[in-house]
Amino acid sequence: MIWELEFIKALQSGSNRFFDYVMYFFTQAGTEIFFMAVALLFYWCINKREGYKYMNLFFASQLIVGAVKILVARPRPYLREYVGVDAIMERTGGYSFPSGHSNNVSVATVFCSDYARRNGSKRAFSITTACFIVLTILTMFSRVYLGQHYPTDVLCGMCFGVGLSLLGIYLFDLFGAKEEQSAYFIVPICFVLTVFGVLWYIFEGDSADAILKVAGIYMAIGMGYFSEKRNVKYEVKADKFYKYVLRMILGVAILFGLRTGLKYLFGLCDGVIGYFLSEFVRYFILGIFVSLLAPMLFKKLKI
């Protein structure tokens, strides 16, 4: 661990405000916002099945990484009593190992590369893969530079993302044209994890919010997609480009409105009930909107 702290210290010794902002920009590729941009674009505008696949890869890996974080419980580098290692720009909450950002961007890399391989030319595949590999490396580097992770955190996070994505793609494709039946596995697993998260909060006094949020939205996505494919059957292909733009603007506006409004509403509740509402129910509602209600709305508005 000492060599890792020395490595971070060496990186930060040459830091300046400009480079801090550059690294902070690249670290966003591993955030929830970047994931949402890719997932919503695919699910609402390009290919629902592929969008659902990407969300499966992302949320499944998030649950596993979140569980590992709790079990390992490795403190962030800047929390160690070591002179010279700082948290630049932000102080990320939660534990350090493995890196969630590195996992997330690696999942996006594998998914987008695989999609380009199957649906584009060799040139498109090469360019997509090269760009995402560079983005992954920069994201991993930024997490270490910003003092949020050790080098081993980001390396293992990347391995988790790549390995779990390749396994996830293989398992998902086994469903063939009945991929919505994956909900039969997703829902009970998320239910068990939700119970675990609540009990952990009650008896350990420690928040397992990362697992509870992902369990809530993942359960909703599985249920929502199942219902959408069998009942709504919204066709994402549009005859006019402006319809894609309208979907994204309207859908994202409602999504962020729900996210903010529900956070305030559920924040009025205290204790276990407030914790459950804010961390599980809020994200469950967001997942239902993304996977089911938004397509229903788009179909009703004919966009």
Side-chain angles (χ1 to χ4, degrees), residues 24-302:
Y24 189 70
F25 171 78
F26 282 114
T27 208
Q28 303 310 309
T31 63
E32 178 182 290
I33 299 297
F34 183 81
F35 155 73
M36 287 175 57
V38 177
L40 297 182
L41 185 63
F42 267 92
Y43 194 80
W44 289 347
C45 301
I46 298 176
N47 186 305
K48 272 188 304 186
R49 186 181 190 277
E50 292 297 320
Y52 179 59
K53 177 192 286 187
Y54 176 50
M55 287 188 277
N56 268 273
L57 300 179
F58 180 85
F59 291 131
S61 67
Q62 280 271 297
L63 286 173
I64 294 173
V65 167
V68 174
K69 279 179 177 287
I70 291 175
L71 292 173
V72 176
R74 189 184 199 185
R76 301 277 178 179
Y78 61 80
L79 294 176
R80 295 288 185 179
E81 294 181 359
Y82 190 83
V83 178
V85 174
D86 301 313
I88 299 176
M89 302 292 292
E90 64 178 355
R91 294 174 67 88
T92 309
Y95 296 117
S96 185
F97 180 90
S99 166
H101 282 65
S102 300
N103 169 80
N104 297 347
V105 71
S106 297
V107 170
T109 296
V110 173
F111 168 76
C112 290
S113 178
D114 180 66
Y115 181 81
R117 178 183 62 82
R118 291 181 291 102
N119 297 277
S121 63
K122 289 185 178 180
R123 180 178 175 81
F125 167 68
S126 298
I127 293 175
T128 300
T129 302
C131 289
F132 270 92
I133 288 177
V134 171
L135 182 62
T136 299
I137 293 172
L138 288 171
T139 303
M140 293 168 62
F141 181 82
S142 72
R143 299 308 290 164
V144 178
Y145 171 87
L146 295 172
Q148 310 302 314
H149 285 288
Y150 299 93
T152 49
D153 293 343
V154 298
L155 289 172
C156 289
M158 181 269 292
C159 291
F160 268 100
V162 172
L164 292 173
S165 293
L166 292 174
L167 176 62
I169 289 172
Y170 171 75
L171 295 175
F172 186 88
D173 289 343
L174 290 179
F175 286 98
K178 297 181 178 180
E179 73 282 353
E180 75 279 6
Q181 292 185 2
S182 59
Y184 294 137
F185 299 92
I186 294 170
V187 173
I189 290 173
C190 289
F191 176 79
V192 171
L193 289 171
T194 300
V195 173
F196 165 78
V198 173
L199 292 178
W200 183 272
Y201 177 78
I202 293 174
F203 294 106
E204 296 295 327
D206 190 14
S207 174
D209 59 312
I211 290 180
L212 218 58
K213 289 176 181 177
V214 177
I217 196 170
Y218 195 15
M219 181 187 291
I221 292 294
M223 295 170 63
Y225 182 77
F226 186 95
S227 180
E228 197 286 328
K229 184 178 179 182
R230 298 199 172 190
N231 300 299
V232 181
K233 302 177 182 179
Y234 177 66
E235 177 56 57
V236 298
K237 186 176 181 180
D239 56 344
K240 301 291 183 180
F241 179 75
Y242 78 87
K243 292 184 178 181
Y244 296 121
V245 177
L246 283 177
R247 290 176 201 169
M248 293 301 293
I249 293 176
L250 179 61
V252 170
I254 295 175
L255 183 63
F256 275 93
L258 279 172
R259 187 172 183 268
T260 303
L262 291 173
K263 182 178 182 179
Y264 172 77
L265 180 64
F266 294 153
L268 299 176
C269 301
D270 298 323
V272 177
I273 293 178
Y275 173 69
F276 179 72
L277 289 174
S278 297
E279 307 302 340
F280 177 84
V281 176
R282 179 162 66 105
Y283 280 82
F284 182 88
I285 293 173
L286 297 180
I288 287 294
F289 172 76
V290 167
S291 59
L292 178 61
L293 299 182
M296 290 175 63
L297 178 62
F298 300 153
K299 186 174 183 179
K300 184 70 174 179
L301 297 177
K302 298 181 179 180

